[in-house]
Each structure stands twice: as C-alpha cells, then as structure tokens.
Amino acid sequence: MDNGSPHNPPFSVVIVGGGVAGLTLAHSLAQHNIQFIILESRDIYSTAKGGFLGILPNGGRVLDNLGLLSEVCGLAEPVRVSHLWMDGRLVSQRNYPLVVWERVGYPYLFIRRGNLISTLTAKLGPPKRKILYGKHVQSITEDQNGAEVHCHDGSTYHGHVVVGADGVHSLVRTTLLEHAGNQTAKEQARSPLVEYICLFGTSTIHPRIKPGIVHSAYALGFSTFVVSSTGRTFWTLYVKQGLVQSLSHNSTTDTIRTQLKPFMGTVVGNGVHLDELFDTAVNYAIFPIEELFCQTWSHSRLVCIGDSAHKMAPNLGQGGNIAMESAYALACSLSSLVEHENLPSAQAISITLRDWEAAQKPRVRAIWQAAHRLMRLETFATRTDYLVAKYAIPWLGPYITQQQVAIVRHVGSQQMRNWRISFPALAVVILSVLLLVWGYVVSMKS
C-alpha cells in the first residue's frame, strides 16, 4: 500500500465508537496495514464499564483470526451444558455448547465486558493504537477527496471511509440516511422497538451456580439467564414492558427491589432465587431492550456496523458476535479494494461498501429475527410461544445444536431456519397440543 504524501494522504478509516465493534474493526484494519483512528465519546474508564457478554463460537473464530482468542480464553471458563427451568423445575438438560465446541473448534465463553474492552485496547498497542477519548462527533461532511468528521471540541478528522460503531442511537447512521435521502428509514431508525426491559448484574459467585453450566428460566412475561465464570456469577432478568413501572438506569436499589418484587422469588437455576443474586451483586444496571434493524447500512463513504445497523435482543447472545463478524468482513473488503487501487475513488468505495452490505445482510437479518422471536418465546408472548417453549423446546436438543452449528459455519439464512419447520419438530409440537387438548377435555368431563 502506498504510504501517501502530504498532498496525497494514504487510505484511512475513521471509526466512530470504541466499543467491541469499533475495536474489532481496528484490529482487523491493522492486520491489513490500513490506517485508522477511533473517536470515542466516553473517557477510557467508562468504555470498560458494563455487564457481561458471551463470546460464542462465531465470535471466537474472529478473535482467533486476529490472534486474540487465547488471551480472551484466559479470562473465562468454557460452557459445556445448558439447563432450562420452568416453574422452578429443571425441564431440559442439553450439552449442545460442548457438542458445538467439538464440531467447530470454538467454545462458548462468558466474560465481563470491561475485561474484553481492556484486552482489545491493550492488544492494539502502540504504534497501532490510535484511540481518542472524549470525542463527541457533531457532524460529518463528504466530498470527492474523503470525509471530514467534526467534533464538539472543534477538532476535525479526515478519512476516506467513516464507520459508525456508535451504537443504536448512531449519529453516523442518521447522517448516512440523510445523505442517502432515505427519509422513511431515517424516521424508523429514530425509534427502536422497545417491548422489554433488562436488569443485569454481576454477583459474588454463588456456590450452587457452578461454572460450565448456563441456566435459563422461562415464565409468563419474563425470563432469566445465569452463568458463573472466573469467580463471578452473571445474571439477567428480562421483563415485558407494562409489568413494571418507572424504572430507569437512575432507579435506586429500593425502587428496583420494590418494582421487581414479583420476580425476585423466581428460581433461576439449581434452587437459587433471583433475590439471592441481587443481594450479593457487586454491580447491576437496568435499561430498555432496544431492537432495530436498519434497512440501509451504507451510502457513499459512510457505513454502519454492529448495534448502529442492527440492534438485537440480547438473549440469543449474538449482538456482539455478529458485530465482530461484520467488522472483520468489512476490513477484508476494504483491504481487497486498496490492493487494486491505493486511493480508490468515491464510486469504488461506495460499490465496495454496498457489496459488503449485500453479503452480510441476509445472515444478519436471519439471526436478528431469531433473537427477536426467542425473546417472545422465552416470555410466552403468545399461546403458541407457551406451547412450543413448554412442550417442544425440551425435546429439540438436536435441532438447537444444528442451528448453533449453522450460525458458526455461515450457513445461509434459509438453512438456518430449517430446524423450525423440520418434520420431527413439527410432530412434537402437534403431539404436545393434542395432549394438552385431551387433558383439558378429560378434566372438564371429570
């Protein structure tokens, strides 16, 4: 690649956002010797805050390609077994995390978000490390020579491509849609779907929540997820909007406990109640679950990745992993572009970004939809969801494993959905419904 000159600067990328997506993109660009700079609005300490996240096999493969997986594996304990609970009873015990690990070579890991951010930041290292904190982007302008990113402090940064990794309320996405003249998409992107809230926390490790096992509990209007790793127990509570009132990230402990009192006695796994974890929490937070799938991810020199393009329901655990995939694929596309032309034209850049978007979108849409449906399934949003969750899911271990392997192996979106409509799965659902109806009729006659 040409190193450029004062009048002809080398190809460079401005990344807006220094979270998981932005840092993964930075590592991927560095691997291809593409210059970049990260503009992060928060300070260095705030970026390392947050709860926990799952590094699933598809995300693990990206980290492996970047030479980071061994470092991350040292921060978590692999998951081998999944337990499903309903009404305080264990209804399903599956080893699909272990089976998928054995088939594709990458484990399921759960890690503190701050530890992952710190690792990605440290491993970027000088002279590659180019992260500026406290940079609040105000506007973005474009011309034939590149794009200018203007910050509130008066500073300006030039790049040939600007990547929005700035979350669900992305300024880059808003600017992109304005430049594209897509007013309908712009209006839709302003209002993500919010039907659930999430309380997540990290507690001192609970002796009955053993590492290596994830616990999910389904119930009417809410669900929970619990896992222990590296001396901590991570947990979440997802609640349907309307079942609680007046909760926000500023809510006090007493307010949260009062509002969530109906759920505190829930068995989240192995006889452990939610209030036991809440009482031993070293940190927790509450936030609305925002869901958004933007129909336009790129225009001209601007492109969005991760939550800025497709904010997913969190209980499938794929939001961060798909963001890492998209970031890695984007860097590969840009590398192929500059291999043929040191300073590609605006048209060539636009075409490359559109091609990347077209390749990524079907797979991401299928996973986004799966996360959306899983949230409703876990909380019995409809009678069908209840019947499938209670009578079919406990018997669908092989199909769940098949879906997880398909996600990792980049199987097409249609094949990924085949497990839902396969004959054995459908037969189980029909049989369950017939048994339910038969039991109801018998009880009425008696």
Side-chain angles (χ1 to χ4, degrees):
M1 184 187 303
D2 188 349
N3 291 325
S5 68
H7 303 290
N8 190 26
F11 184 83
S12 63
V13 177
V14 177
I15 305 169
V16 181
V20 173
L23 288 168
T24 302
L25 177 60
H27 278 277
S28 304
L29 293 171
Q31 192 176 66
H32 293 287
N33 296 315
I34 296 176
Q35 293 192 15
F36 67 88
I37 190 167
I38 298 177
L39 306 178
E40 169 55 48
S41 62
R42 296 168 295 177
D43 58 54
I44 189 171
Y45 303 105
S46 297
T47 57
K49 292 181 179 179
F52 69 97
L53 51 81
I55 304 297
L56 306 189
N58 52 319
R61 179 173 55 191
V62 173
L63 294 175
D64 191 22
N65 290 341
L66 295 173
L68 300 168
L69 183 60
S70 59
E71 184 83 12
V72 172
C73 284
L75 302 172
E77 299 176 58
V79 170
R80 294 173 170 81
V81 180
S82 172
H83 287 179
L84 176 60
W85 301 80
M86 295 186 203
D87 301 319
R89 298 181 299 105
L90 179 63
V91 298
S92 175
Q93 179 174 321
R94 303 186 297 263
N95 67 341
Y96 75 82
L98 178 60
V99 174
V100 175
W101 183 6
E102 291 172 342
R103 289 187 186 179
V104 303
Y106 299 105
Y108 285 72
L109 303 170
F110 289 89
I111 182 175
R112 300 179 209 179
R113 183 183 182 278
N115 287 352
L116 179 61
I117 293 293
S118 296
T119 299
L120 292 176
T121 302
K123 286 296 181 179
L124 202 52
K128 297 176 182 177
R129 182 175 172 184
K130 300 177 181 178
I131 310 174
L132 300 180
Y133 296 96
K135 293 294 182 179
H136 297 267
V137 175
Q138 185 175 28
S139 63
I140 303 170
T141 56
E142 296 181 74
D143 58 31
Q144 285 300 308
N145 297 316
E148 303 282 345
V149 180
H150 309 276
C151 298
H152 279 287
D153 61 6
S155 57
T156 299
Y157 301 90
H158 176 273
H160 298 90
V161 172
V162 176
V163 181
D166 49 343
V168 66
H169 301 288
S170 168
L171 183 139
V172 176
R173 184 185 67 236
T174 300
T175 305
L176 181 159
L177 295 174
E178 286 176 350
H179 290 189
N182 194 337
Q183 188 63 29
T184 300
K186 179 184 173 184
E187 293 300 324
Q188 291 174 343
R190 283 178 175 171
S191 302
L193 176 67
V194 178
E195 292 186 349
Y196 292 83
I197 64 168
C198 174
L199 172 68
F200 71 86
T202 302
S203 302
T204 55
I205 192 164
H206 196 290
R208 295 201 302 278
I209 303 296
K210 304 295 185 182
I213 304 173
V214 294
H215 300 268
S216 299
Y218 298 176
L220 181 61
F222 68 100
S223 65
T224 63
F225 177 89
V226 180
V227 63
S228 288
S229 180
T230 59
R232 288 286 187 262
T233 296
F234 305 124
W235 51 272
T236 58
L237 168 68
Y238 307 115
V239 182
K240 177 77 172 176
Q241 286 271 56
L243 296 181
V244 293
Q245 303 294 331
S246 305
L247 284 178
S248 71
H249 66 280
N250 294 319
S251 297
T252 65
T253 299
D254 289 341
T255 300
I256 292 174
R257 181 180 292 280
T258 299
Q259 289 289 325
L260 298 180
K261 184 177 180 180
F263 315 105
M264 286 296 177
T266 301
V267 174
V268 297
N270 207 25
V272 178
H273 296 85
L274 181 61
D275 58 1
E276 296 179 57
L277 302 179
F278 187 74
D279 289 341
T280 58
V282 294
N283 60 63
Y284 63 84
I286 194 163
F287 60 89
I289 294 176
E290 298 173 295
E291 298 175 82
L292 171 73
F293 190 90
C294 188
Q295 299 301 322
T296 303
W297 300 359
S298 67
H299 176 75
S300 185
R301 298 178 180 272
L302 308 184
V303 60
C304 288
I305 60 175
D307 288 352
S308 64
H310 40 77
K311 182 70 169 70
M312 298 184 186
N315 47 347
L316 190 61
Q318 280 291 347
N321 293 276
I322 292 299
M324 288 191 284
E325 277 190 22
S326 296
Y328 187 82
L330 177 59
C332 291
S333 294
L334 293 176
S335 176
S336 297
L337 173 66
V338 296
E339 279 180 3
H340 295 92
E341 188 177 0
N342 288 334
L343 284 178
S345 66
Q347 182 180 13
I349 291 172
S350 179
I351 292 172
T352 296
L353 296 181
R354 285 204 306 268
D355 289 346
W356 164 85
E357 178 182 346
Q360 294 291 116
K361 190 174 285 183
R363 168 176 165 77
V364 176
R365 180 185 284 112
I367 294 175
W368 187 95
Q369 291 171 341
H372 177 85
R373 284 301 314 141
L374 181 61
M375 177 64 77
R376 278 81 191 161
L377 183 73
E378 290 186 358
T379 57
F380 307 158
T382 66
R383 184 169 294 275
T384 300
D385 289 326
Y386 169 78
L387 293 173
V388 171
K390 190 156 188 175
Y391 298 102
I393 291 295
W395 298 93
L396 293 181
Y399 303 99
I400 294 172
T401 301
Q402 175 186 327
Q403 185 201 32
Q404 297 297 321
V405 171
I407 288 175
V408 179
R409 290 181 172 171
H410 280 236
V411 177
S413 59
Q414 183 57 48
Q415 291 102 315
M416 284 171 55
R417 290 193 291 265
N418 278 348
W419 71 274
R420 299 184 195 170
I421 57 175
S422 62
F423 178 76
L426 185 60
V428 169
V429 174
I430 293 173
L431 180 59
S432 300
V433 173
L434 290 175
L435 288 172
L436 188 67
V437 173
W438 177 79
Y440 175 78
V441 172
V442 169
S443 65
M444 289 295 291
K445 286 184 178 180
S446 61

